[in-house]
Amino acid sequence: MPRLKAITTGSVPSFLDVVLNLDEGDESSSLASQDTWLAQMKAKGTGKLVIYGDDTWLKLFPGTFDRADGTTSFFVSDFTEVDHNVTRNIAGELQNDDWNTMILHYLGLDHIGHKGGPRSPHMVPKQREMDDIVNQIYKAIETQDHLKSTLFIVCGDHGMNDAGNHGASSPGETSPALLFISPKLKGLQKNQDAPLPDTEDFQFYSTVEQSDLAPTLAALLGFPIPKNNLGALIPEFLSIWPKKADQAYLLHQNARQIQTVISAASGTKTFDSALPVSSCANPSSDYEELACEWQSPSNILMSARVGDDMDPQWALPVTMWLRKAQELMSGMASNYDMSRLILGQVAALLAVIFSLYAATEIVSPTSSLTPLLVISIAYSIMMFASSYVEEEHHFWYLATTTWFAYLTLRGFKR
C-alpha cells in the first residue's frame, strides 16, 4: 500500500501508512477519497479504468475501476496462474477502445523472489515471459489506430534483496526499474548502451523518485497534478514541448503545487511574497531557506514564459529546487520521535513477558503452551517479509481455522 500511494498520489508514505495497511477494515487506508492520477483520469471522462492483477488496487481504490479481475498476493508458491489471470485479459482489452487507463499488476516475479531469491532458476524464464508481454502490447500500440496515442509504462513498485525480500532500504529493494514506452517518444531516444554491466548500487542511466511519476503523468496526459504530490516532473520529458513558455508553465505549476503542500505543513505563507534580504541572510527554518532559494528559479521561469533568450540549461536551477523541496518534505515523513518508539517497544516487550508469566501460572507450561509457541514463532517469522505483513489477515484465518480443527478432532477422540 505505501508504495502504491507514492506512485498514485506523488506523496511520500509514512510509518502510519504501514500501520493502516494492516487493518483492511479501516477505511482510512483507502485512497479512493484522495487526489490521485487515477481519480484525475476518471474525472476526464474519456474512458473506463481497468485493472488486472494484484487486488491491493481494488482495496485501495474501491469503486474506481470499471472492469477488474483481482488476484491475491498471499499464495507466494504460485508462479504461474497468478500471472495467467492477468495475461488472459490482455488480448481482448487491446481490441477494446472504451478505456483510458489499464493497469496490469503481475505478481509472479515477486513470488519467485520470495521463494527462491533473485537468482532462482525460475527467474529468467519469468522475465522472458514478461518481455513477451511487453512486446505484445507495444506491437498493438504500433499497429492499432485506437492505441497510437497510448503511453505504456513498465515499472516495479519495489525491488528485492539477495534473499528475495523487500521492505528495507538496501539498493536492491529501493531501485525498481521504470520505462516510458510509446512511438511518440522516439524523438527523446538516446543512443545508450544496453544492457549495462551490473552495479551494486543499481544506478543505471538516470534515477528518479517513485513520487515523480504523478506530476510527469499529469504533464504528459494533461490533467492537474495531485494535490498532495511531492514529486518533480522528470526533466528529460521537457523537450516534448518545443516552446520554452510551455516548459516553464509546467515547471511553475509543479513548483507552486509543492509550495502549497509546504505552506500547509509549516503553517506559514512563506511563498506568498518575496522575503526581505535580512531574512534570507539568516533564515530561521528550512522552510524559510527554501523560500529564499525559490526567488532565483522564480525569476528564471518568468523570463522563460515571456520568451527571453535563455541558457540551454535554464531549467536546471528549477529542477534542483524541486529536488531540494522534495527532500525536505520526504524527511518530515520519516522524522519520528525515537524516544516514544523505544518506549513503545519496551512496553510491548514487558506485556509479552507478563503475559507469558501469567499463562504459565494458569496452565501447564508444557503441552498446553505448545500451540501458543508454535503460532508465536510462525507469526514472528512472517514479520520478516513485507508481503506477508500486508496479507497478515490470511495468517490469522489459517491459524484460527487450524486451531478449531484441532479442537474438533481432539473432541472426537474423547
Side-chain angles (χ1 to χ4, degrees):
M1 177 265 194
R3 295 177 291 272
L4 296 185
K5 178 180 180 180
I7 290 173
T8 55
T9 68
S11 60
V12 179
S14 65
F15 181 75
L16 180 61
D17 295 312
V18 180
V19 175
L20 294 177
N21 193 47
L22 303 180
D23 183 7
E24 295 189 357
D26 186 348
E27 294 183 356
S28 57
S29 65
S30 169
L31 297 178
S33 60
Q34 295 192 29
D35 192 9
T36 64
W37 57 260
L38 280 173
Q40 296 289 355
M41 289 300 291
K42 194 172 185 69
K44 288 183 72 172
T46 57
K48 297 180 179 180
L49 273 66
V50 183
I51 168 69
Y52 298 109
D54 191 349
D55 60 3
T56 303
W57 290 86
L58 298 174
K59 299 169 186 174
L60 290 178
F61 303 97
T64 298
F65 296 99
D66 300 286
R67 285 196 296 273
D69 187 2
T71 55
T72 179
S73 61
F74 185 69
F75 301 106
V76 294
S77 297
D78 178 13
F79 306 157
T80 306
E81 290 304 317
V82 71
D83 285 347
H84 175 69
N85 288 338
V86 180
T87 303
R88 66 181 181 178
N89 295 287
I90 293 178
E93 288 295 349
L94 292 177
Q95 299 298 322
N96 294 331
D97 60 358
D98 64 342
W99 53 267
N100 68 6
T101 302
M102 179 167 67
I103 296 172
L104 307 173
H105 192 143
Y106 284 89
L107 291 166
L109 282 170
D110 179 68
H111 289 184
I112 291 171
H114 284 300
K115 295 295 289 185
R119 295 173 183 81
S120 165
H122 300 285
M123 188 63 75
V124 172
K126 178 59 70 173
Q127 289 171 332
R128 288 175 178 159
E129 178 187 336
M130 294 297 101
D131 285 346
D132 292 339
I133 299 300
V134 171
N135 187 46
Q136 175 189 358
I137 296 174
Y138 185 71
K139 283 184 176 179
I141 293 174
E142 280 193 312
T143 58
Q144 299 187 36
D145 289 338
H146 69 283
L147 297 175
K148 287 190 179 298
S149 296
T150 299
L151 174 62
F152 181 26
I153 298 176
V154 181
C155 68
D157 57 339
H158 58 77
M160 64 178 69
N161 58 22
D162 289 339
N165 295 320
H166 52 87
S169 57
S170 70
E173 295 166 89
T174 58
S175 303
L178 173 63
L179 295 173
F180 289 81
I181 305 174
S182 173
K184 292 182 177 293
L185 297 179
K186 287 184 177 180
L188 302 180
Q189 189 172 353
K190 300 177 181 179
N191 294 323
Q192 295 176 318
D193 295 332
L196 294 178
D198 292 340
T199 62
E200 292 184 359
D201 61 0
F202 292 88
Q203 298 301 300
F204 305 106
Y205 305 116
S206 60
T207 303
V208 300
E209 299 293 332
Q210 275 188 333
S211 56
D212 296 342
L213 186 60
T216 302
L217 284 178
L220 293 174
L221 302 180
F223 55 77
I225 299 174
K227 293 178 180 178
N228 294 322
N229 166 72
L230 294 175
L233 171 62
I234 299 175
E236 285 82 357
F237 287 105
L238 284 174
S239 59
I240 291 178
W241 294 270
K243 295 181 180 179
K244 284 188 175 60
D246 294 333
Q247 298 176 14
Y249 173 79
L250 293 171
L251 289 173
H252 187 261
Q253 290 296 104
N254 193 179
R256 290 301 298 171
Q257 180 270 324
I258 290 180
Q259 288 168 11
T260 302
V261 177
I262 294 174
S263 297
S266 63
T268 63
K269 297 182 179 180
T270 311
F271 298 96
D272 289 352
S273 59
L275 293 175
V277 177
S278 58
S279 297
C280 291
N282 293 293
S284 59
S285 65
D286 291 335
Y287 304 114
E288 197 168 279
E289 181 180 351
L290 201 62
C292 292
E293 294 177 356
W294 166 245
Q295 295 180 27
S296 176
S298 178
N299 293 334
I300 292 173
L301 289 175
M302 188 177 298
S303 299
R305 294 185 71 174
V306 298
D308 292 347
D309 290 335
M310 305 291 294
D311 182 273
Q313 299 295 320
W314 67 270
L316 184 59
V318 184
T319 56
M320 290 178 63
W321 184 92
L322 288 170
R323 287 293 175 213
K324 185 167 184 179
Q326 186 181 55
E327 291 174 4
L328 173 63
M329 298 305 294
S330 299
M332 286 184 59
S334 58
N335 187 19
Y336 307 125
D337 188 335
M338 294 304 298
S339 61
R340 292 190 177 185
L341 287 177
I342 294 172
L343 181 62
Q345 291 176 336
V346 171
L349 180 60
L350 290 174
V352 171
I353 293 174
F354 289 140
S355 297
L356 291 175
Y357 175 76
T360 57
E361 290 295 316
I362 296 173
V363 298
S364 171
T366 54
S367 60
S368 299
L369 285 179
T370 301
L372 174 63
L373 292 175
V374 170
I375 291 176
S376 299
I377 293 172
Y379 183 71
S380 300
I381 294 173
M382 193 185 77
M383 291 296 103
F384 285 95
S386 62
S387 290
Y388 288 131
V389 173
E390 293 167 4
E391 301 291 344
E392 181 190 16
H393 55 290
H394 287 292
F395 173 85
W396 291 115
Y397 294 159
L398 177 63
T400 53
T401 303
T402 303
W403 176 244
F404 286 139
Y406 167 74
L407 293 177
T408 302
L409 290 174
R410 193 173 69 171
F412 287 148
K413 289 179 180 180
R414 289 178 179 178

